[in-house]
Amino acid sequence: MTANLLDYDLEGLAAFCERLGEKRFRATQLFRWIHQKGASGFDQMSDLAKSLRDKLRDSAVIQPLPVLSQHESADGTIKWLFDVGDGNAVESVFIPETDRGTLCVSSQAGCAVGCRFCSTGHQGFSRNLTTGEIVAQLWFTEHFLRKHLGREDRVISNVVMMGMGEPLQNYSALVPALRVMLDDHGYGLSRRRVTVSTSGVVPMIDRLAQDCPVALAVSLHAPTDELRNQLVPLNQKYPLSELLAACQRYLQHAPRDFITFEYCMLDGVNDTPEHARQLVQLVREHRVPCKFNLIPFNPFPASGLTRSCNDIVEAFAAVLTAAGFVTTVRRTRGDDIDAACGQLAGDVRDRTRAGERMSLRRIMLKPASDTIPQET
Ligand code: SAH
Ligand code: SF4
């Protein structure tokens, strides 16, 4: 069977090399060719013996994801839509800023959590991405961007698992992908600059703390179980008290001394000063050092929800700030290309399912607004 080398972290690649009868250290060379130099074939790997290259050609591939579309916003945000087969597509978004370049990466085609305000959630779950499919998003975009921007050094300095899907419901594929991102022979990203965002899969938060403690963002969206049960159905399984206890435990292993709580501002639903006060009480009660990231809601018709207006967001933020919590309001970026996580891919999948592939281009060009992650 042909192996996709993007499926392996360095340890996995070493085991693969051993199976080929090669020394484990060959894996390091191979890994660097793939991830640091962006090699897509074996012939260019000039310092590997020809016999090894021949073996690799017979038994392995470096499998990219086909690009369905790429759109660049006036502000430099670039969004790619990748084909993952069977009419499913996932997206990655690159957000350049003066001091960093962030890639927003998808972990699943669709999502089973079904949050009310999320178009990926409305779309339902198709399947987990493989490690190779998660890594391929970074592999392709990093090396594309180096060429595109004429740079030889690293372009992507931060990765946020905030694209489509719930990363902690695809744990076994996620962890090796994170290791590739962190590995000095891979992308060499620091643990502080790789963020897993979760809707609150409590047992997997504990496992991540042991296996690969990167920065953690938790999508809270409500200060009470009553409200959160409605917005994030997973809350019925893992209520707030358990979730916040898991956050507290995670901090003993985390690369940062705070958890980022994401909070999507929904008009008239979760956005009053009273909600903000309850939120303060909640995190104080559970003694979780944290920052808040308020996300303006990206509306889509099926949600029946609308975005809180700026004054309301400001008033909400003011309560949190006054209580001593660092609070950011996510900036709007990529307005002209609809770079909202999950949104566009949902459209495409619905249409490709209906066999209307031809309409794809038109959908891509539709203007819309959006927001970006603000992890440092
Ligand atoms: N499943 C993970 C990560 C992907 S979603 C999670 O839920 O955390 C990334 C972030 O985008 C989450 O905070 C999510 O709540 C938010 N989000 C989803 N749909 C949104 C929308 N329509 N408008 C604004 N933010 C949204
Ligand atoms: Fe899934 Fe996250 Fe969307 Fe909820 S917000 S449905 S967990 S992708």
Side-chain angles (χ1 to χ4, degrees), residues 117-118 161-163 165-166 197-198 219 221 262 264 295-298:
F117 50 84
C118 174
M161 297 301 304
M162 293 186 185
E166 169 47 58
S197 174
T198 181
S219 297
H221 310 308
E262 294 162 277
C264 184
I295 317 174
F297 172 57
N298 277 293

Side-chain angles (χ1 to χ4, degrees), residues 108 110-122 162-167 169 197-200 219 221 231-234 341:
Q108 299 179 312
C111 182
V113 177
C115 299
R116 264 204 56 198
F117 50 84
C118 174
S119 82
T120 307
H122 276 245
M162 293 186 185
M164 296 175 74
E166 169 47 58
Q169 286 190 340
S197 174
T198 181
S199 56
S219 297
H221 310 308
L231 298 176
V232 184
L234 193 65
C341 287

Side-chain angles (χ1 to χ4, degrees), residues 276-324:
R277 284 189 287 273
Q278 289 174 328
L279 201 50
V280 168
Q281 204 188 341
L282 179 79
V283 298
R284 279 197 179 142
E285 219 170 84
H286 289 85
R287 295 188 309 279
V288 180
C290 61
K291 292 185 181 178
F292 289 98
N293 191 0
L294 306 181
I295 317 174
F297 172 57
N298 277 293
F300 60 101
S303 70
L305 299 163
T306 48
R307 179 186 287 190
S308 308
C309 67
N310 288 347
D311 291 354
I312 295 281
V313 177
E314 289 308 320
F316 194 94
V319 173
L320 300 178
T321 309

